[in-house]
Amino acid sequence: MGLSWQQGPLGRNPNGQFLVPGVPERLLYAEPLRRRLRAVVGGRTVVQSDDAVLLFEPGRYPVAYFPLEDFAPDALRPTGHGTHHEDLGDTVWFEVAGGDRAAARGAWQHVALPDHAQLLEGKIALAWRAMDAFYEEDDRILGHAADPYHRIDVRHSSRHLVVRAGDGVVADTTRPLVLYESGFAPRWYVPREDVVATALTPVEQQPFCPYKGIASYYEIAGVRDAAWSYRAPIDDMAAIGDLVSFEPDRVEVTLDGERLTLEPGQTVVSHGIDRELGIGEAGALLVARAA
């Protein structure tokens, strides 16, 4: 997912490889965001900046660092707590004071940066989960800092896709949609009309994806989480709305007669509130963003 997450080039299990010798196991990358970004705690804007920097670190979503001078007066309170970052050196932590609450250890600063990391000099990072909300201009950003290297393309296809569970056919279509998402293998989606409705049993799991929306999961023939659907996706993902996708390691999925397998490194590991929002909270946020 993007530059440093999942199978991205800076991720822990990249899909490709750098064609130069001696590439370090850990590569960090930082760049100016070039978007107005602000954060709110307790009803107060604690920082607003046009000069935030995104840090991409292996296995993590991008983290926004803000110039110290862009914080509201008295928004940062030293805690006396310190840690050490394996690449960026000594780190001090701050409490972030909002209007009616404070976020303990809600921010940090690397205070002994190596020469090659001076882009982060004088900048403070905010813990995404500790803030009440982040905004780009006036639109709330859900889940984590927007990754400019994350992309999703949805394409129509006439390939023949069949899903089987046990001795029965669950889906059969020649009009699937394929979703290409940064860091992931292609995912195939089937129109509801081409799926045996009685084969799908809803389960309680409904994780939230900041790029696609709230996912509804299904059990098939006693196999839990064998399929999912974005029944009311984010507007940009309307093309896959209410279509069904199937896990090829839990049911048999063939494409033009060739069985699909789950590629390594595709499991989504919970990392921040984008995977942990409750259905009610996530739904309310999506409605508010669309208003």
Side-chain angles (χ1 to χ4, degrees):
M1 182 177 287
L3 192 64
S4 58
W5 189 240
Q6 294 296 125
Q7 292 189 304
L10 302 186
R12 292 172 177 159
N13 185 29
N15 183 47
Q17 64 185 78
F18 292 98
L19 301 182
V20 293
V23 177
E25 288 187 10
R26 284 179 54 82
L27 284 172
L28 276 65
Y29 176 76
E31 68 174 34
L33 178 61
R34 296 189 292 194
R35 307 182 188 190
R36 172 164 290 186
L37 186 64
R38 63 186 174 98
V40 175
V41 176
R44 179 194 188 195
T45 294
V46 294
V47 66
Q48 176 174 288
S49 181
D50 297 329
D51 298 306
V53 169
L54 281 188
L55 173 66
F56 299 85
E57 186 175 348
R60 299 189 66 185
Y61 293 129
V63 175
Y65 284 70
F66 298 85
L68 178 60
E69 60 268 22
D70 289 342
F71 280 84
D74 304 318
L76 298 174
R77 301 171 180 170
T79 64
H81 178 67
T83 56
H84 184 81
H85 189 283
E86 62 181 300
D87 301 294
L88 302 175
D90 294 338
T91 304
V92 298
W93 291 76
F94 301 89
E95 178 182 73
V96 182
D100 56 11
R101 79 172 187 91
R105 296 187 188 175
W108 67 89
Q109 181 184 19
H110 306 297
V111 294
L113 287 164
D115 290 342
H116 57 263
Q118 291 304 300
L119 185 59
L120 299 180
E121 182 69 35
K123 294 183 175 63
I124 310 289
L126 292 177
W128 198 272
R129 296 190 64 183
M131 304 298 104
D132 291 336
F134 281 84
Y135 294 85
E136 285 184 358
E137 295 294 342
D138 294 330
D139 287 341
R140 183 167 180 180
I141 303 303
L142 303 178
H144 56 76
D147 187 337
Y149 295 97
H150 182 276
R151 180 186 177 101
I152 297 178
D153 294 303
V154 179
R155 300 289 183 256
H156 292 81
S157 176
S158 58
R159 298 170 73 177
H160 188 197
L161 187 143
V162 180
V163 181
R164 296 179 176 87
D167 296 327
V169 173
V170 175
D172 189 333
T173 188
T174 55
R175 50 174 185 159
L177 272 67
V178 57
L179 184 145
Y180 300 108
E181 181 171 5
S182 301
F184 289 93
R187 293 293 197 177
W188 295 85
Y189 284 78
V190 179
R192 285 264 171 180
E193 296 84 354
D194 297 338
V195 178
V196 178
T198 56
L200 304 180
T201 302
V203 298
E204 292 183 0
Q205 181 182 356
Q206 290 183 303
F208 171 70
C209 170
Y211 298 107
K212 298 187 286 294
I214 302 165
S216 298
Y217 271 76
Y218 303 95
E219 176 183 299
I220 299 175
V223 178
R224 186 178 172 86
D225 302 339
W228 71 91
S229 177
Y230 291 95
R231 309 215 69 173
I234 292 171
D235 288 347
D236 292 345
M237 292 290 102
I240 63 167
D242 208 28
L243 277 67
V244 184
S245 190
F246 299 86
E247 282 286 14
D249 64 332
R250 303 194 180 196
V251 290
E252 179 184 315
V253 183
T254 60
L255 185 65
D256 288 341
E258 181 176 347
R259 184 164 183 174
L260 301 183
T261 58
L262 185 67
E263 295 192 18
Q266 299 299 290
T267 302
V268 175
V269 179
S270 179
H271 185 87
I273 61 174
D274 69 313
R275 300 292 165 185
E276 297 169 5
L277 286 177
I279 183 70
E281 182 182 7
L285 293 177
L286 290 175
V287 170
R289 190 166 76 172

